[in-house]
Each structure stands twice: as C-alpha cells, then as structure tokens.
Amino acid sequence: MKKKLLSTILSVTMAAALLAGCGSSAAAPAETAAPAEEAAPAEEAAPAEEAEVVEDVEEAAEAVEEAAADSGAAGDVITVGFAQVGHESDWRTASTKSCQDVFSAENGYDLSFVDCDNDEAAQKEAVRSFIEQGVDYIIIDPIIATGWDTVLTECEDAGIPVIVIDRTIDDSDKYVSWVGSNFKTEGLAAGEWLKAYAEKQGIKEINALVISGSTGASAQIGRSEGFQEVADREGWTILDEQTGDFTKAGGQEVMESYCKSYEGKFNVVVCQNDNEAFGAMTAMDNAGVAYGPGNDVILISFDACTAGLEDVKAGKISADFECNPLAAPFVEQVIQQLQKGETPEKEVYMEEHWYALPDQIVDFSIDGEAQTMTEVTDDVIAAQY
Ligand code: GYE
C-alpha cells in the first residue's frame, strides 16, 4: 500500500513540479502524466488530472494522498512474487528473463523474484515469504508436481491468487490458472517422429537410452510417459533411464556411465532437455561415439533453445522438440483479467514446434493428428529464445 501510494505521489509530484516550472497547465506533457494514468483503472485516473490545477508540490502530494485513501485502491503498482525453479538450463534463463521483462516497474509491477535452486523446501518457503509480504499475486513454477496442497491452502487463506506456470501441480487445484506446455505431447512427438524416421531409414531395432529431467517434475513425467507409450507400442527396448537433472553436467555424467555400460549396444539417445544433450555430446565425443544424422546414434532433444537448434543445424541433434518458455505475457493477461474481476481460463497451453533438418523431416501424427515439422534455418535460429 505504502509503496503504491508513494509512486502515485511521485508521479503527480513530478507533474506538479513541471507545472510550477512552466507556469501553465498546458505545459504538462502527456508522457509526464502517463505513468499515473496508465497504471490506474479508469475511474482512478483523477489524481493525475488534478495535478494540472494544483499550485504547488506539497498541495499535489496531499491531494493524491487523499484521493488514494478515498478510493482505497491506492494504487497502481501490482506486487507479484515469483518462486522460480532455479537456473539449471537455457530454457530456465529465458523463462526468468520473460517474467522479469513483463513484470517490470515500467509495466506497473513490483516483482519479488526467488531462484529456488531446485530445492523443493526452499520453494515452499519462498511462497510463504510472499504470503508474509502480502503480495497481490503469487506465481509458482513447481519444481516437482506433488506436495503442494498445504502451502496453496495458506495462499488461499491469505486471499492471494496463485498462478502456476510451466510445470504442473498434480495434487491440488487451489490455484487460479496454469500456463504451460503439454509435456506428454512432447514425449509422444519424439516417439512418433522416431518411429517414422526409423522406418524411413530402414532401422529395424531401437535400443534407446534416456537421460531424464529432474525426477518428479511434471516436465520429466510427461516426456517419459509420452516416449514410453510409443516405445511400448512399437516393442522398442529402453535400455536405461537415469536423471541428468536438466543440467549439462548431469547429462554428461549419465552419458559417461552409459557409454561404459552400454558400449556398442544403443542406437538412440533421448535427452529430456538441450542442456543435458550438450553434456551427453561431450561424453560421446570423449568416448568416440558418433551421433547425429548419418551416424550410428540418433540424438533426440527437447526445449529447442537457440544453442539446441544450432546443434540441429550442425547435424548433431537429429530432432529437437520445443518447449516454449515465454509464458509471462500470458500470465500477465491472467493477472489483468483478475484485476478486472474476470475469471481467467484454468489452463493455457503454449504453442510449440518440432524442429529438424530437411532429411530428418518426416510425416508423423499424434493420436491421429498430423504434425508439421519446422526446418531449422539461420532465420529460425535467430528468432528462437
Ligand atoms: O525443459 C528444462 C528446464 O520445466 C519445461 O525445465 C521445463 C524444463 C525444461 O530446466 O530445460
């Protein structure tokens, strides 16, 4: 409240100071008054307009204080707490930046950002600290899908709407809205692509190694389930599935051990994100395993970040299945709807694409729905996150 009031006072004080300097109400430039007007719902725009008739700065401040107290709205800055998973991947960096860009002071927000460093307990504590601060909204990207009901009940009791982004919460529905990806569809896409590509290449047997994401994260669960479903149906062998925790170091470590344990026995490596794939490539390079189109091992990845697509273009990753991290603008829409008393959609799905080079682009469908693949070009890479 105090902060909100202060910012309104400052905007009007600045406008009044300008007025005093120029000695004419006409001299107040549109931009000066804009911050107060923009951030305030229509009927609360009065304070900024009043600034044009007040004589001095003190009077302006008083006028605003009164108006703000009267309206009870006070203001304008929306406080948001965001409990982010961590900083494990390029995807995560893009997600964080997207939120910081959208929930900026310039856009009328005061963002409390906590990087939870992949620590589930720390993430719940972050949410509790937002409750204590009395923020207007809480955004959670849940590290794992379960264990949320207690803390979400605390948010509900405090009257703070929660918006979930990216990964899902599977054991509580005490949130207003979720904006993210269909991870099972991503896993199915990887499986159905592999089936079609193997047929085209005349590959009869699939022996796959999976480097999964952080165990219990819905992104891991969905991608594993989707790929496994096709593997089961097609009778493929999944030799092993171990977590690389969505990191490059994790991917490298798991792949180093796979290269020893399964030497000469695998022809597919599935990494559940690009960073794991970067690590796995280093491990395969060191072990003398040739991968990518035209080589023995097909390398599949998820996320399709810029560096991932560069590796598709370089003929290292055979196909990359996008996960779109730029959810923040949609989260903002949800918040704006709530501000107006509207009911937002409970689930909002991000649009995503499947990427490869022309020789690896094949026709496939998911549950009967034909999929379109996107060719990786320099322009496509330049436009990616
Ligand atoms: O794929 C990975 C990140 O939750 C979808 O988390 C996200 C995943 C993403 O670390 O790179």
Side-chain angles (χ1 to χ4, degrees):
M1 269 308 204
K2 265 190 199 144
K3 242 187 250 162
K4 292 172 184 176
L5 187 58
L6 187 68
S7 78
T8 314
I9 290 170
L10 281 175
S11 302
V12 179
T13 304
M14 278 158 57
L18 254 157
L19 276 176
C22 300
S24 146
S25 65
E31 303 115 83
T32 313
E37 277 174 14
E38 252 168 36
E43 77 275 14
E44 289 152 27
E49 279 159 24
E50 275 168 25
E52 293 184 24
V53 290
V54 290
E55 303 280 29
D56 63 43
V57 172
E58 256 173 51
E59 206 182 312
E62 265 169 38
V64 174
E65 207 158 344
E66 269 169 34
D70 283 348
S71 74
D76 309 324
V77 172
I78 299 173
T79 54
V80 175
F82 176 28
Q84 173 64 294
V85 169
H87 50 272
E88 70 285 357
S89 64
D90 289 32
W91 189 101
R92 191 64 52 201
T93 306
S95 156
T96 294
K97 187 174 180 304
S98 168
C99 277
Q100 287 171 338
D101 287 351
V102 168
F103 298 108
S104 64
E106 221 174 31
N107 290 343
Y109 293 93
D110 181 1
L111 176 68
S112 291
F113 174 82
V114 179
D115 173 337
C116 302
D117 200 16
N118 220 21
D119 178 335
E120 297 153 38
Q123 190 167 42
K124 310 237 161 61
E125 280 323 300
V127 172
R128 292 194 169 102
S129 77
F130 297 149
I131 297 174
E132 258 168 51
Q133 282 172 50
V135 297
D136 298 321
Y137 298 95
I138 295 176
I139 305 174
I140 303 172
D141 188 331
I143 296 170
I144 59 163
T146 49
W148 283 100
D149 202 55
T150 306
V151 73
L152 290 193
T153 305
E154 290 167 33
C155 295
E156 196 176 66
D157 291 347
I160 304 175
V162 172
I163 298 148
V164 179
I165 64 165
D166 169 31
R167 302 180 185 177
T168 55
I169 285 178
D170 295 349
D171 62 354
S172 176
D173 65 353
K174 293 180 180 134
Y175 55 87
V176 180
S177 195
W178 164 85
V179 183
S181 305
N182 191 327
F183 303 115
K184 182 160 182 202
T185 299
E186 293 171 1
L188 285 169
E192 300 292 7
W193 170 83
L194 178 60
K195 174 184 180 276
Y197 181 63
E199 270 167 21
K200 179 185 165 197
Q201 298 293 108
I203 298 167
K204 299 256 158 356
E205 220 182 285
I206 298 289
N207 292 298
L209 286 168
V210 177
I211 303 180
S212 53
S214 303
T215 309
S218 71
Q220 174 274 314
I221 297 168
R223 288 172 192 164
S224 292
E225 269 179 17
F227 188 77
Q228 184 77 46
E229 192 173 301
V230 183
D232 290 346
R233 193 190 67 213
E234 298 300 318
W236 298 339
T237 302
I238 296 187
L239 295 164
D240 211 338
E241 173 157 351
Q242 286 177 32
T243 182
D245 237 348
F246 282 131
T247 64
K248 181 177 180 200
Q252 182 169 343
E253 198 184 316
V254 173
M255 197 65 225
E256 276 163 3
S257 103
Y258 281 170
C259 285
K260 288 188 196 123
S261 314
Y262 301 100
E263 193 185 341
K265 294 187 180 131
F266 61 95
N267 60 352
V268 173
V269 173
V270 180
C271 294
Q272 284 186 353
N273 79 344
D274 286 334
N275 294 78
E276 290 181 342
F278 304 150
M281 285 190 270
T282 305
M284 288 193 277
D285 289 340
N286 293 340
V289 174
Y291 52 87
N295 290 307
D296 293 343
V297 174
I298 296 166
L299 178 58
I300 295 173
S301 186
F302 294 87
D303 279 1
C305 65
T306 304
L309 291 189
E310 279 166 353
D311 284 335
V312 174
K313 181 101 198 300
K316 295 174 171 180
I317 294 175
S318 303
D320 207 339
F321 297 85
E322 184 179 41
C323 184
N324 184 343
L326 309 179
F330 300 96
V331 177
E332 205 217 354
Q333 277 177 21
V334 168
I335 289 180
Q336 290 304 330
Q337 283 176 299
L338 293 170
Q339 286 290 103
K340 290 185 213 138
E342 296 169 6
T343 308
E345 293 285 319
K346 184 83 180 182
E347 292 183 338
V348 178
Y349 284 94
M350 301 294 291
E351 192 189 325
E352 8 221 51
H353 301 94
W354 322 133
Y355 293 99
L357 286 179
D359 283 351
Q360 284 69 53
I361 290 184
V362 286
D363 290 335
F364 69 92
S365 54
I366 299 174
D367 295 331
E369 204 180 301
Q371 304 292 303
T372 310
M373 293 190 79
T374 304
E375 177 187 345
V376 176
T377 61
D378 289 335
D379 287 348
V380 166
I381 295 173
Q384 197 65 348
Y385 70 90

